[in-house]
Amino acid sequence: MSDEPSRPAATAEAPPPRPNTVVAVLAFAGIVVSLMQTLVIPIVTELPQLLHASPSDTAWAITATLLAAAVATPVTGRLGDMYGKRRMLLFSMCMLVVGSVTAALSDSLTPMIVGRALQGLSSGVIPLGIAILRDELPAERLGSATAVISASLGVGGALGLPTAAAIADTFDWHVLFWTSAALGVVAAVLVLVLVPESAERTGGRFDLPGAVGMAAGLICLLLAISKGADWGWASGTTLGLFAAAVVVLSVWGVYELRVGEPLVDLRTTARRQVLVTNLASVAIGFAMFAMSLVIPQVLQMPEQTGYGLGRSMLTAGLVMAPSGLVMMALAPVSAIVSRARGPKVTLMIGALIVAAGYALDIALMDQVWHFVLVSCVIGAGIGFTYGSMPALIMGAVPPSETGAANSLNTLMRSIGTSVASAVAGVVLAHMTMSLGPVTLPSEDGFRTVLITGVAASLLGFVIAAFIPRRRPADAEPAPASGGSGGRAAEVSEAKA
């Protein structure tokens, strides 16, 4: 008997979990991982005292997570395609738990940085979860389930800030990381028990030189972006890192085109639908993060500035929390629009909603409810855009490359958020006001960041307009059975 019929025989003894259960578990895992990203925000200003280090050194507790996530996301996606997506999902959750425990036991800088880097290795959970959905769910359920998993990123980020602020205000700061570890254990157990392992594998040999080259190039690029403001944008270190990134990634690209089993299939990523979606993802990632930089800061600025509301970190987190709930609530709506009009239209609608939210914030910055309204509008737009991107990617790649392709798309969004942080940092550092002996960002500085959010959203809209148009019937990615996913991708590419 061949290997193919053996799987149904096994499932006769142990029926597979219901699709709703799989979606719920994967969404929970995504929320847990995205919570990790906002975990240290309430204690950032206290880290120098807590870890007995300088502010510039403790900033590595955030930078290390960013760099580790950038490297791990595409690597775990590729390994998931090769050796099993659930296996790599469990590995990612284990890294979250180990990193959280390491940080929870730390009282100095080095173990904290190590712990935060290990936490960053878990960032591939959401693209891996989406890839599992493509392999396990029927086609008619895939669009809405994918939108829910994508929304979990925003839900975790939005809920994480008030939760972390409440914990930090009430308990010792180590409890933040013990909580993260406990949630990671629960998520890992649920995945192990309730999520099936996909039979879709590419096999082959892992491209280690390609992984090293990509890691080196991304680290140079993101390090220059994230630390350029501290080192000076015209400094030799910053310019050298940018130059190194260009050289290393160029050489890496040539190598990936020539190797038989590349880490990233650049020919697939060069398909118009994949390429344009990834470019739009950079702009949307920029736009999403601008909100996270402006709203909490304005809420916490002293009232003496004339524009600040003098609120606490907990209040700022509670203001942001509804946006995550809006993302989750609108995930099914996003899927309905994608099914009716295609995910390209959904992405464009979402970009316009985000732009409208930022424009609204430029006019409304006086009351707490103004920011609640703005965050909900922007959250609605992000929900639409994040729900449509995986559908566009999966509609253009075969099932055997789903994990790697979605992971690369996630990386593009991360690059957008990193650029947003750098640009906002430059703007707010140069547009300042004096409040006694203290220098603070001015109201015009914050409005300028909001204007860049509008511009990034509109840029995402324009880029998305160049995605190949597909009939609504083609908007839902094809199921993986019988290799139809690969053929669907080829047909879609032929239409483009």
Side-chain angles (χ1 to χ4, degrees), residues 372-424:
V372 174
L373 173 63
V374 166
S375 67
C376 286
V377 173
I378 296 176
I382 295 298
F384 269 72
T385 58
Y386 275 23
S388 62
M389 290 174 191
L392 286 164
I393 295 297
M394 290 188 293
V397 303
S400 60
E401 298 178 18
T402 302
N406 274 317
S407 296
L408 183 63
N409 181 253
T410 301
L411 174 63
M412 294 299 103
R413 287 182 247 172
S414 296
I415 291 175
T417 61
S418 299
V419 173
S421 179
V423 170

Side-chain angles (χ1 to χ4, degrees), residues 203-250:
R205 179 180 300 175
F206 181 68
D207 178 19
L208 182 59
V212 172
M214 184 196 67
L218 287 176
I219 287 174
C220 289
L221 175 63
L222 293 176
L223 201 54
I225 292 173
S226 61
K227 303 294 287 185
D230 295 331
W231 295 336
W233 293 105
S235 69
T237 302
T238 303
L239 295 178
L241 285 171
F242 275 125
V246 171
V247 172
V248 172
L249 291 176
S250 297

